[in-house]
Amino acid sequence: MATEFGCGDNLLKDDVDEEDIESLVIQQIEFCSTIILNKVDMVNEEQLGRVKAMIRTLQPKAKIIEANYGKVSVGDILNTNLYDFEETAGSAGWAQAYDKDEDEKNEHHDHDEDEHEHHHHDEDEQEHHHHDEDEHEHHHHHDDEDHSHCDHEHGHCCHHHHHGDDDEEYGICTFVYHSRRPFNQEKLQEFVNNWPKGVVRAKGILWFSDKDKRDYLYVFEQAGVQITATENGKWLAAFPKSEQKKYFKEYPDIEEHWDEKYGDREDVTEADINECYEQIEELRDAGKLFTPDTFESMAGALKAKSANVVKALCLHVAHTCNLNCSYCFASQGKYHGDRALMSFEVGKQALDFLMDHSGSRTNLEVDFFGGEPLMNWNVVKQLVEYARSVEKERGKNFRFTLTTNGMLIDDDVIDFANREMSNVVLSLDGRKEIHDRLRVDYAGNGSYERIVPKFQKLIKARDNKNYYMRGTFTHANPDFTKDLFHMADLGFTELSMEPVVCAPEDPAALTAEDLKIVKDQYELLAKDMLRREKEGKPITFYHYMLDLTGGPCIYKRISGCGSGTEYMAVTPWGDLYPCHQFVGEEAYKLGDIWNGVTNTALREEFRSCNAYARPECNDCWAKLYCSGGCAANAFHATGSIRGVYEAGCELFRKRIECAIMMKVAEDSANS
């Protein structure tokens, strides 16, 4: 009763005014089944008629009893069985007008109140609830100014329903305000501050466009000066899919009107979506949707201009590893060959090869890779020392990256890496139970407890900059955001999570069902990143680093990653391969660091592997973001570097969609 007759609290004030009393009386009339009009002998018929007309407008189904001197039959007020909570709650004049409007327009389901209760659940118990006003209500008090209309445009329709001549005669009518668009809280507050005095009573449901409120349904109530908007649970669309399925099973008619993307929220209808598609098609047909692609003719020419310049090497300093990760594409660091460590002499020749073939380029990239490069740490340090000793003389600037599983990190590694490595890539798959499932040592023991404290110490020494926590998600954790958020909770903010690369029959391989989950996870991640940004606790996700205003230069966009031409991998024996994912594939050996590239036909094949090399990519809107995709993934999926790894394409487009959404949201928030 406190919620329904909250205006009564105002009667306890020291300065009770007439509007407080009026508000309470109005609420009580709306919520009753029997009304006694006493002292009817003290008014004339016209006055009595006016009172009765007003009552019928507020509560048409109430029984009206006329009395003098309080004389009323006991049978008229006791054990009448007239009062029914649900019926009375929905029989107020404004409610009936609303229902009539709904029936006429057929814009909502014909469910009764209990059929709609899925809108009003909390997250834990999933039960209908009402919150106390002092916890969840937003109270709005207006001044005495008279504002007769709302100039705030919502694309609404207002339907007035008159109930006989008495309504017009006594100046009381009802109408329904109906908008499918959510309210902006600030704009609604502005309107409420100037609430029209002529409105006696208002009640309904609404929702806000504000990010922190759009999942929640609110009950709006006004009686006199009392105006509240009370949180009353979540939309079903905000619930986990497992819970949604339960409601679909219990209420199958809900699913009939369910939109795959927007659920039961009312901001977007099927008609709206179809209209949007029609507008897009009109723009496309008019040639206004896309900028003409004038780059195709340049695709091969630009890369040809770079001649045979090499700008980056991936040095496999260790074809061995101290972990035994079952999903490892490198076969535990052996790359399906022999275990080996790169000698300083081979590494030195590799650096000389890079400098000799780098042309006029100043900045050169070198990745220390494996296996586990820390198993050959002394050679890594020697190679860095050699590069530093000659770079000024050769007019070059080396930028080194270290990729490690963390098992051998110590103070020496931390000090040297933070001094010499432009970037550090740290391998962590997320939650302990996920990480330790596959990233184990040769005794079968998980590595989580041993590496996490070392990673935390390392990045703290790097001032939390210039590193990436790189995880791999598999069939065991398509819900990978839990692992990303876990890493964020550990203090890691620079994050990357890659889908596993393995044979389809591998137990770790992602299934078609997994991919559906993964795409939902990308959306969840994007929304959570926006929330964290708003709270001042941002995280970076590698795949969402998208510059819509500039982005990669056109050379990069149409030429691809540069594997096999600008970028090569070097084995411990000095053999050259297009990239680390081709190492061990004898057919893809380019040459060696002493004789250079001898398989020139293979290099030319990679040179032509650009955004326009695959007919399947012609109509893809994302081709100039992926630059033709990963040649290695295409090879492993189709047997050809010009093949199409469809699952990878699907996930890439989803990531770009999410990145664009985030960029739009950020720009909107800043505008």
Side-chain angles (χ1 to χ4, degrees):
M1 301 295 279
T3 300
E4 206 55 45
F5 302 121
C7 307
D9 295 339
N10 291 329
L11 302 184
L12 301 177
K13 300 186 302 183
D14 294 333
D15 56 340
V16 179
D17 55 36
E18 290 186 3
E19 288 188 336
D20 293 327
I21 299 174
E22 291 171 359
S23 297
L24 178 60
V25 171
I26 289 169
Q27 286 189 336
Q28 289 180 324
I29 292 174
E30 287 185 326
F31 214 81
C32 70
S33 60
T34 302
I35 298 174
I36 300 173
L37 296 180
N38 195 34
K39 299 184 179 181
V40 296
D41 60 326
M42 298 184 66
V43 298
N44 57 41
E45 289 187 7
E46 181 183 354
Q47 292 172 322
L48 180 60
R50 285 175 60 89
V51 172
K52 292 167 82 173
M54 292 179 186
I55 292 173
R56 291 192 186 99
T57 300
L58 296 173
Q59 179 51 270
K61 293 190 176 182
K63 178 182 178 182
I64 300 176
I65 300 175
E66 300 178 16
N68 290 312
Y69 302 101
K71 294 181 179 180
V72 182
S73 172
V74 175
D76 287 336
I77 57 176
L78 298 179
N79 298 322
T80 62
N81 296 318
L82 294 177
Y83 185 77
D84 180 270
F85 180 87
E86 297 292 340
E87 182 179 358
T88 304
S91 63
W94 67 266
Q96 292 197 45
Y98 182 80
D99 290 340
K100 183 177 179 182
D101 177 71
E102 299 292 274
D103 292 339
E104 290 177 353
K105 297 299 176 179
N106 291 317
E107 291 184 353
H108 288 287
H109 311 311
D110 294 327
H111 308 315
D112 58 23
E113 213 168 279
D114 59 337
E115 287 181 296
H116 279 291
E117 69 176 357
H118 66 270
H119 290 309
H120 313 286
H121 306 286
D122 61 33
E123 288 189 59
D124 298 324
E125 299 183 3
Q126 316 292 330
E127 293 180 356
H128 188 87
H129 70 280
H130 296 278
H131 304 296
D132 293 336
E133 287 188 349
D134 60 348
E135 292 181 335
H136 292 284
E137 288 190 351
H138 309 282
H139 294 266
H140 316 278
H141 297 279
H142 58 80
D143 54 29
D144 292 332
E145 297 180 25
D146 186 11
H147 301 271
S148 61
H149 70 283
C150 173
D151 59 3
H152 180 64
E153 185 177 342
H154 290 283
H156 69 278
C157 56
C158 250
H159 304 286
H160 294 261
H161 300 277
H162 298 282
H163 301 278
D165 295 337
D166 287 342
D167 293 346
E168 295 183 2
E169 182 180 352
Y170 299 114
I172 300 175
C173 65
T174 62
F175 70 94
V176 174
Y177 173 90
H178 187 192
S179 172
R180 299 193 68 87
R181 295 172 58 189
F183 285 91
N184 176 279
Q185 187 179 2
E186 292 184 1
K187 292 181 179 179
L188 179 62
Q189 180 68 64
E190 182 181 349
F191 173 67
V192 166
N193 290 340
N194 300 307
W195 190 261
K197 286 190 67 177
V199 180
V200 178
R201 181 76 164 107
K203 189 171 183 180
I205 60 173
L206 58 82
W207 65 301
F208 294 109
S209 59
D210 309 65
K211 294 184 181 69
D212 59 338
K213 291 181 172 62
R214 64 181 298 111
D215 285 345
Y216 296 89
L217 178 145
Y218 288 79
V219 175
F220 181 90
E221 294 186 83
Q222 174 265 332
V225 297
Q226 183 83 1
I227 303 177
T228 63
T230 309
E231 179 192 311
N232 206 26
K234 284 188 172 183
W235 296 97
L236 182 57
F239 281 59
K241 290 189 180 298
S242 57
E243 294 296 329
Q244 293 174 6
K245 290 179 180 179
K246 294 179 182 178
Y247 282 100
F248 293 155
K249 187 175 181 180
E250 187 173 356
Y251 306 108
D253 54 334
I254 295 176
E255 196 169 11
E256 293 178 8
H257 303 276
W258 187 265
D259 182 84
E260 182 65 26
K261 187 171 184 178
Y262 299 97
D264 59 338
R265 295 187 180 96
E266 297 193 354
D267 59 332
V268 177
T269 66
E270 185 177 353
D272 294 331
I273 297 173
N274 291 335
E275 183 181 0
C276 182
Y277 279 134
E278 291 172 1
Q279 292 174 352
I280 292 173
E281 289 174 351
E282 289 176 5
L283 290 172
R284 181 198 62 195
D285 295 340
K288 298 180 178 180
L289 186 60
F290 299 106
T291 301
D293 185 353
T294 59
F295 305 129
E296 184 172 3
S297 60
M298 310 178 189
L302 284 174
K303 222 167 199 180
K305 287 182 178 181
S306 66
N308 298 321
V309 170
V310 181
K311 66 178 184 180
L313 290 180
C314 179
L315 296 188
H316 289 219
V317 294
H319 267 199
T320 186
C321 190
N322 48 10
L323 290 182
N324 188 29
C325 308
S326 63
Y327 61 68
C328 181
F329 75 92
S331 185
Q332 293 73 48
K334 297 183 296 180
Y335 290 84
H336 309 285
D338 297 327
R339 297 186 183 276
L341 299 177
M342 181 179 287
S343 67
F344 169 71
E345 290 73 19
V346 171
K348 177 177 177 297
Q349 180 61 37
L351 296 178
D352 288 339
F353 168 84
L354 176 59
M355 289 185 284
D356 292 342
H357 291 82
S358 60
S360 61
R361 292 191 65 91
T362 300
N363 294 319
L364 305 179
E365 310 282 343
V366 176
D367 299 340
F368 292 109
F369 203 74
E372 172 50 49
L374 294 187
M375 296 183 73
N376 200 12
W377 182 236
N378 285 333
V379 169
V380 171
K381 292 196 291 184
Q382 290 173 4
L383 292 174
V384 171
E385 183 180 359
Y386 170 72
R388 297 298 186 213
S389 70
V390 300
E391 60 181 354
K392 288 185 179 179
E393 175 189 340
R394 299 291 300 269
K396 306 297 181 183
N397 175 45
F398 281 96
R399 295 191 293 202
F400 297 105
T401 296
L402 174 69
T403 299
T404 177
N405 61 33
M407 292 288 285
L408 297 176
I409 289 178
D410 56 20
D411 289 344
D412 178 57
V413 172
I414 292 174
D415 292 342
F416 189 86
N418 290 348
R419 184 171 65 253
E420 297 290 356
M421 302 295 166
S422 299
N423 194 24
V424 178
V425 181
L426 310 172
S427 298
L428 179 68
D429 285 353
R431 295 162 287 175
K432 183 179 186 301
E433 62 270 23
I434 293 297
H435 181 92
D436 284 350
R437 181 191 292 260
L438 298 173
R439 298 188 72 85
V440 299
D441 60 22
Y442 282 86
N445 301 312
S447 55
Y448 179 94
E449 296 288 353
R450 285 176 280 178
I451 65 173
V452 168
K454 296 178 180 180
F455 287 162
Q456 290 173 320
K457 185 176 182 179
L458 186 148
I459 69 158
K460 183 178 180 180
R462 293 182 74 82
D463 195 26
N464 205 41
K465 298 177 182 177
N466 302 319
Y467 75 95
Y468 268 105
M469 302 301 302
R470 188 203 184 278
T472 300
F473 62 85
T474 69
H475 179 62
N477 62 322
D479 57 344
F480 69 90
T481 57
K482 294 180 181 178
D483 299 290
L484 280 172
F485 298 153
H486 175 75
M487 288 191 273
D489 292 339
L490 292 173
F492 308 126
T493 59
E494 310 303 301
L495 306 173
S496 174
M497 205 74 169
E498 308 282 346
V500 66
V501 178
C502 61
E505 63 273 13
D506 193 299
L510 295 168
T511 66
E513 286 300 315
D514 290 337
L515 293 180
K516 295 178 182 177
I517 298 172
V518 170
K519 288 194 289 184
D520 287 340
Q521 291 291 296
Y522 282 133
E523 289 192 7
L524 189 156
L525 172 61
K527 294 175 182 177
D528 194 77
M529 288 178 64
L530 290 172
R531 178 188 65 81
R532 291 172 184 264
E533 179 74 29
K534 187 176 182 180
E535 294 177 355
K537 301 176 181 178
I539 61 175
T540 300
F541 183 59
Y542 178 80
H543 290 298
Y544 290 170
M545 296 173 65
L546 181 67
D547 184 357
L548 293 178
T549 59
C553 65
I554 198 59
Y555 175 86
K556 176 69 175 176
R557 286 178 181 264
I558 67 176
S559 299
C561 71
S563 61
T565 56
E566 301 172 326
Y567 172 86
M568 299 177 190
V570 184
T571 71
W573 304 278
D575 295 326
L576 292 171
Y577 286 87
C579 81
H580 63 282
Q581 291 198 63
F582 286 98
V583 171
E585 300 284 348
E586 194 64 24
Y588 284 86
K589 182 179 174 181
L590 286 163
D592 59 55
I593 54 177
W594 294 277
N595 301 301
V597 176
T598 54
N599 191 347
T600 56
L602 180 62
R603 181 175 61 191
E604 292 307 308
E605 186 179 357
F606 274 87
R607 194 189 306 278
S608 65
C609 193
N610 54 54
Y612 300 95
R614 304 167 179 85
E616 298 91 338
C617 300
N618 288 343
D619 295 327
C620 179
W621 60 266
K623 66 182 178 185
L624 293 184
Y625 286 108
C626 79
S627 304
C630 175
N633 285 346
F635 168 71
H636 291 119
T638 69
S640 169
I641 64 172
R642 292 197 180 190
V644 175
Y645 177 42
E646 293 182 359
C649 295
E650 191 175 349
L651 294 183
F652 183 89
R653 284 192 292 268
K654 188 64 183 182
R655 291 195 294 262
I656 297 299
E657 285 178 9
C658 291
I660 292 173
M661 180 276 290
M662 291 180 64
K663 182 62 178 176
V664 172
E666 291 167 356
D667 289 348
S668 298
N670 295 328
S671 61

